[in-house]
RNA sequence: GGCGACGUCGCCAAGUGGCAAGGCAGAGGCCUGCAAAGCCUUUAUCCCCGGUUCGAAUCCGGGCGUCGCCUCCA
């Protein structure tokens, strides 16, 4: 079975054959660090985190390089607004970016060079382009000549003449062609600057991507990723720079993720309709946010809303349900029956088959251009089978003899989620998050006078079990109502009652 | 205006030639002291019109609608 990926260059799914067997070299455009990243930015980084994790899981040795663009017009603008230096702004948001990635459980890149650390290489690339007749200097600025590169437009499917007739590009008489773009800019007063053969200045277009990818990965590397709004002009220019400078093929597979939308409109900082990743993660656990994103294919647009996130939270609980039930069953031998039933063998056969099928089908789905939505459907199917086995079927069996099978089922649910980086949390409760009112309840019903949240809840559970055993339903129900009002969930299962918070 | 993507159940969403996954929400049933959880059942002539094919959500043509890019943008 081979992996197939959608290549923007050819607009079709292609068999994935890396340049070296068993090894994948990938590059994903990182952020320009002038602000916190928003949840739309995060979607793209998450997409390529999944792709990276999956390829690793499938046995490839993945080298993952991501730049940080820490010199740029927007950073300079932001610095001016805040009365800081550009370097200070960049440093702050580089740090924030890394923290946010960590909070989203995104694996760290193998290498993450800063643009400002690769200035000499960028200058060298500009020199190479000038020497090859692909760039020219005007008064300390250097421009790339789009007409000098025959392949210009091949990634985005555009034609230079069509683009010029669109003519929303600034007309600058110093350029030989309106579409020519700046590789090096003369520094204005107060701007960051580095010495160069064309005077003091700074990099223009995203040379850092061209330079870093060549330096860290070599050409052509396997996968270049980014969001679809980067196809033109960002990646088109990057491709032109690199191929014109080196004369080699730049990238084997161009992969682009779909945009996150709000009210059917692209989420973007310029439209002002964005939510910061860090704010979303304050309201929703990381696994829920990841699950939410993965329920849609990475190339499709995805509508962002808290309703959708709430639904994903419910779906997440559905997945963790049987895993939690199994843990409880292991400890308490709940769902253990007096004797084996006549149909137990058929149940076991069916679950065992479901487990094997799920493993195969997950790989099939993911091999097909990283279809996480399809892969999750497989997981949900297994969740249903496992639930049925526990609650309708033999459970753990008469003497726990079905525990190994249930463990295998649990593993078959957990492994795909691990591949997708969705952490399984069976104990979602942090004591500090309990509402303070729970102590009053515990005092009223259980005589508990301590200050430890878990103890208070446990005392309530025991007190309620006593009341229930006395069939004093009025009190038992009142306790449940009051707990639910505080945000707790009370479930009376065959092995006793469970009180959880935050579900 | 040019280039590109998309339109599948109430909502979200897989599926790119062979009987339409999955999640959320709803209805009925089972289980339960009542709930919750869980299980079972239940709802799709796949935007419209033509065409190709034994067979199309899937391919082709034409509409209608939505979104993205063409300026910084994940």
């Amino acid at each position: 079975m081979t992996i197939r990926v959608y290549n923007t260059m050819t607009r079709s799914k292609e068999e994935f054959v890396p340049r070296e067997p068993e090894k994948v070299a990938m590059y994903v455009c990182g952020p320009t660090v002038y602000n916190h990243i928003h949840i739309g930015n995060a979607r793209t980084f998450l997409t390529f985190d999944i792709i990276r994790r999956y390829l690793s899981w499938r046995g490839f040795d993945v080298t993952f390089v991501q730049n940080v663009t820490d010199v740029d017009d927007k950073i300079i603008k932001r610095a001016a607004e805040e009365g800081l230096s550009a370097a200070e702004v960049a440093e702050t948001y580089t740090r924030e970016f890394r923290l946010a990635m960590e909070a989203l459980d995104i694996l760290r890149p193998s290498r993450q060079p800063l643009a400002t650390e690769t200035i000499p290489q960028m200058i060298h690339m500009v020199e190479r382009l000038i020497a090859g007749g692909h760039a020219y200097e005007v008064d300390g600025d250097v421009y790339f000549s789009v007409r000098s590169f025959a392949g210009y437009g091949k990634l985005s499917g555009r034609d230079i003449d069509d683009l010029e007739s669109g003519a929303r590009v600034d007309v600058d008489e110093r350029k030989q062609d309106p579409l020519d773009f700046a590789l090096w800019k003369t520094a204005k007063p107060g701007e960051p600057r580095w010495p160069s053969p064309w005077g003091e200045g700074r990099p223009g277009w995203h040379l850092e991507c061209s330079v870093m990818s060549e330096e860290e990965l070599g050409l052509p590397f396997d996968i270049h990723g980014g969001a679809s709004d980067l196809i033109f002009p960002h990646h088109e220019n990057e491709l032109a720079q690199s191929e014109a400078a080196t004369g080699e093929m730049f990238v084997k597979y161009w992969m682009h993720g779909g945009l996150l939308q709000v009210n059917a409109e692209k989420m973007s900082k310029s439209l002002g309709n964005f939510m910061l990743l860090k704010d979303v993660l304050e309201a929703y656990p990381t696994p829920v946010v990841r699950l939410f994103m993965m329920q849609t294919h990475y190339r499709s647009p995805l509508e962002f809303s808290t309703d959708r996130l709430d639904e994903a939270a419910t779906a997440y609980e559905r997945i963790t349900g049987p895993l939690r039930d199994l843990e409880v069953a292991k400890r308490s031998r709940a769902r253990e029956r007096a004797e084996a039933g006549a149909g137990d063998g058929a149940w076991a056969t069916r679950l065992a088959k479901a487990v094997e099928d799920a493993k195969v089908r997950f790989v099939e789905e993911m091999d097909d251009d990283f279809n996480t939505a399809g892969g999750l459907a497989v997981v949900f199917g297994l969740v249903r089978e496992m639930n049925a086995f526990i609650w309708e079927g033999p459970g753990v069996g008469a003497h726990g003899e079905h525990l190994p099978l249930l463990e295998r089922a649990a593993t078959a649910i957990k492994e795909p989620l691990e591949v997708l980086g969705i952490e399984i949390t069976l104990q979602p409760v942090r004591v500090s998050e309990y509402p303070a009112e729970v102590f009053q309840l515990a005092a009223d019903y259980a005589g508990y006078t301590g200050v430890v949240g878990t103890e208070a809840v446990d005392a309530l559970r025991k007190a309620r079990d006593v009341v229930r055993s006395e069939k004093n339903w009025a009190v038992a129900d009142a306790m449940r109502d009051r707990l639910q009002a505080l945000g707790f969930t009370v479930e009376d299962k065959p092995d006793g009652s469970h009180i959880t918070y935050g579900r």
Side-chain angles (χ1 to χ4, degrees):
Chain A
M1 187 68 195
T2 56
I3 296 174
R4 289 160 57 78
V5 305
Y6 185 89
N7 187 349
T8 304
M9 180 75 86
T10 58
R11 300 191 193 289
S12 59
K13 283 185 200 169
E14 297 175 10
E15 189 178 328
F16 180 67
V17 183
R19 62 183 183 188
E20 283 183 76
E22 315 294 311
K23 286 190 179 180
V24 175
M26 64 190 287
Y27 186 93
V28 175
C29 283
T32 300
V33 282
Y34 69 105
N35 199 343
H36 294 286
I37 65 162
H38 63 61
I39 185 76
N41 305 133
R43 184 189 183 197
T44 300
F45 299 131
L46 183 54
T47 291
F48 290 99
D49 182 57
I50 304 305
I51 290 170
R52 174 198 191 172
R53 284 171 183 264
Y54 184 70
L55 290 173
S56 296
W57 184 69
R58 289 286 267 116
F60 292 98
D61 179 10
V62 181
T63 304
F64 184 102
V65 177
Q66 179 176 56
N67 62 294
V68 169
T69 299
D70 60 347
V71 51
D72 166 273
D73 290 352
K74 290 192 294 294
I75 296 170
I76 292 168
K77 182 162 171 276
R78 175 97 189 193
E81 286 166 5
E82 308 215 336
L84 299 168
S85 72
E88 285 169 326
V89 169
E91 209 172 291
T92 299
Y93 291 110
T94 299
R95 190 169 58 242
E96 289 296 325
F97 170 67
R98 288 175 173 155
L99 288 173
M101 290 295 95
E102 195 179 322
L104 231 204
D105 283 350
I106 286 176
L107 265 28
R108 297 178 58 154
S110 317
R111 305 290 306 277
Q112 189 172 51
L114 305 179
T116 52
E117 289 171 348
T118 51
I119 302 281
Q121 295 95 311
M122 289 195 235
I123 290 171
H124 181 59
M125 176 164 273
V126 175
E127 288 175 325
R128 277 195 284 176
L129 286 166
I130 292 175
H134 295 291
Y136 53 94
E137 185 208 344
V138 186
D139 304 333
D141 291 344
V142 181
Y143 293 99
F144 183 88
S145 167
V146 297
R147 296 277 178 188
S148 76
F149 179 65
Y152 194 82
K154 67 181 178 181
L155 174 64
S156 55
R158 280 154 218 253
D159 180 273
I160 295 181
D161 296 317
D162 286 347
L163 284 165
E164 287 185 354
S165 64
R168 282 167 67 183
V169 187
D170 283 348
V171 179
D172 181 343
E173 290 87 44
R174 302 184 311 157
K175 293 189 195 174
Q176 292 172 5
D177 189 289
L179 293 171
D180 289 351
F181 53 90
L183 297 170
W184 188 262
K185 293 179 178 179
T186 302
K188 297 187 189 114
E191 289 185 349
R193 62 188 62 213
W194 288 264
S196 85
W198 318 284
E200 296 210 326
R202 61 192 170 90
W205 195 261
H206 293 275
L207 272 169
E208 66 275 11
C209 294
S210 290
V211 166
M212 290 175 186
S213 55
E214 182 184 358
E215 186 168 289
E216 302 288 346
L217 300 170
L219 303 192
F221 58 92
D222 296 307
I223 293 174
H224 190 129
S228 58
D229 58 353
L230 293 185
I231 296 171
F232 189 90
H234 189 129
H235 287 163
E236 193 70 60
N237 289 0
E238 204 179 309
L239 183 159
Q241 287 164 2
S242 288
E243 296 199 348
T246 65
E248 289 179 69
M249 184 192 195
F250 183 40
V251 169
K252 293 190 69 176
Y253 305 94
W254 286 91
M255 300 186 69
H256 292 95
L259 301 177
L260 196 72
Q261 304 185 334
V262 177
N263 296 324
E265 233 181 12
K266 172 184 174 179
M267 176 181 283
S268 76
K269 285 174 184 160
S270 45
L271 288 171
N273 60 350
F274 60 90
M275 272 190 82
L276 298 179
L277 171 61
K278 69 190 183 79
D279 294 335
V280 173
L281 288 178
E282 295 221 338
Y284 293 90
T286 294
V288 169
V289 175
R290 292 182 70 109
L291 179 64
F292 159 69
M293 301 255 186
M294 284 174 225
Q295 283 186 300
T296 298
H297 186 89
Y298 78 90
R299 279 190 285 115
S300 299
L302 170 58
E303 177 76 18
F304 176 85
S305 76
T306 51
D307 284 353
R308 287 277 97 77
L309 278 166
D310 289 337
E311 287 177 12
T314 307
Y316 179 71
E317 288 304 324
R318 178 165 173 77
I319 293 174
T320 54
L323 303 179
R324 192 178 288 121
D325 290 336
L326 176 59
E327 290 308 308
V328 170
K330 278 197 312 203
R331 269 187 273 116
S332 67
R333 283 300 175 92
R335 305 302 300 146
E336 183 166 275
R337 303 197 307 189
E339 54 190 60
D344 286 8
W347 274 103
T349 304
R350 176 173 145 177
L351 183 57
K353 182 170 189 314
V355 168
E356 293 314 308
D357 286 353
K359 287 180 183 170
V360 174
R361 287 179 49 218
F362 177 74
V363 172
E364 280 174 0
E365 295 286 359
M366 289 295 290
D367 274 3
D368 184 12
D369 197 28
F370 310 100
N371 186 352
T372 53
L376 283 170
V378 173
V379 172
F380 280 110
L382 196 50
V383 165
R384 165 170 285 118
E385 292 296 332
M386 189 164 163
N387 275 328
F389 192 92
I390 293 173
W391 297 104
E392 311 300 320
V396 302
H399 306 287
E401 72 269 21
H402 294 308
L403 276 172
L405 175 57
L406 284 167
E407 291 282 10
R408 274 200 289 141
T411 301
I413 289 169
K414 283 189 272 193
E415 188 169 3
L417 294 171
E418 215 169 278
V419 173
L420 298 176
I422 298 176
E423 192 192 352
I424 303 293
T425 44
L426 299 182
Q427 304 293 336
V429 184
R430 276 184 306 206
V431 177
S432 61
E433 289 177 348
Y434 284 145
E437 292 90 332
V438 78
F439 293 108
Q440 186 59 50
L441 266 190
D444 289 353
Y445 286 106
Y448 178 78
T449 55
V451 292
V452 181
T454 48
E455 286 180 4
V457 171
D458 203 46
L460 279 165
R461 185 181 59 76
K462 284 179 177 152
R464 186 161 171 280
D465 279 346
V466 170
V467 173
R468 286 183 68 232
S469 68
E470 294 163 351
K471 298 193 191 300
N472 188 347
W473 308 125
V475 173
D477 291 353
M479 288 176 75
R480 181 169 61 198
D481 288 346
R482 292 185 62 180
L483 279 162
Q484 283 174 342
L486 294 179
F488 290 87
T489 300
V490 180
E491 294 171 293
D492 297 330
K493 295 200 174 181
D495 55 301
S497 56
H498 299 266
I499 300 176
T500 48
Y501 184 65
R503 292 174 62 188

